[in-house]
Amino acid sequence: QQSIVSRQEHHTKRHYLTGLTCPVFIVLQTTMVDVPPPDDNPILKAYESFSRETPLVTRYLLQSAAMTWILSFFFDLDLALGNVPQFTIYEFEIYRILLSPFICTSLLSLVFGYLSFTDYGRKMEHLMGSASFALLLLTMGLMVNFLHLGLCFFLFGLNGSNEWLFLPCSGIWILIFGLLSVECSAAPASSVRRLFVVNVPTQIYPLALLGLFT
């Protein structure tokens, strides 16, 4: 009789445990199946696509322009890092010649820089390689900044106005105009390039662009 009772108790416990565990397993399985996958972040997806398709130097240059434009709301970056003759020469702040092309304080310059430099810089960097392209940008930045210093001191010598010594030179435009000048100077004399709605001779295209935005 004891063995019959023990078998009945064992059967009752087994039935009781089975009755508890099966619903719990079903609930967990249903919960795991019903959870929808997370939505993709469009901003993160766009940035990953930009980082994947844009080579190193072009990407860092555009990112520095965007970051310095945000910082320009809090600091006067033209005065702090721009190539200002008074500070570059008389205060011997030579770092301004190197850093001034990598700052941006205007939304128009930032937008046009992204529109014009992204594809152009990507093609040039793929063609030349990142090291050679970085060296070309550095050379262009130095040439434009030294030209700016010489022109400001020349005008200061003509009329003696101190305003020329505090005229800053900065922004991604330094590099864009330098690269455009090199490209357009090698173009055939009969070639033209569209500037919004008009066709401009390719060899004077940088001057036309400079006159439009100044």
Side-chain angles (χ1 to χ4, degrees), residues 124-135:
M124 289 285 292
E125 188 169 354
H126 281 309
L127 181 65
M128 301 178 58
S130 296
S132 299
F133 186 62
L135 182 60

Side-chain angles (χ1 to χ4, degrees), residues 2 4 7 49 72 76 87 98 100-101 109 130 138 140 147 150 154 162-163 182-183 185 193 211:
Q2 291 179 354
I4 294 173
R7 283 198 299 271
S49 176
S72 66
D76 188 353
F87 302 129
L98 299 176
S100 61
S109 298
S130 296
L138 180 62
M140 291 296 172
L147 181 63
F154 174 74
N162 288 331
E163 293 182 359
V182 172
E183 180 189 10
S185 63
R193 195 162 184 168

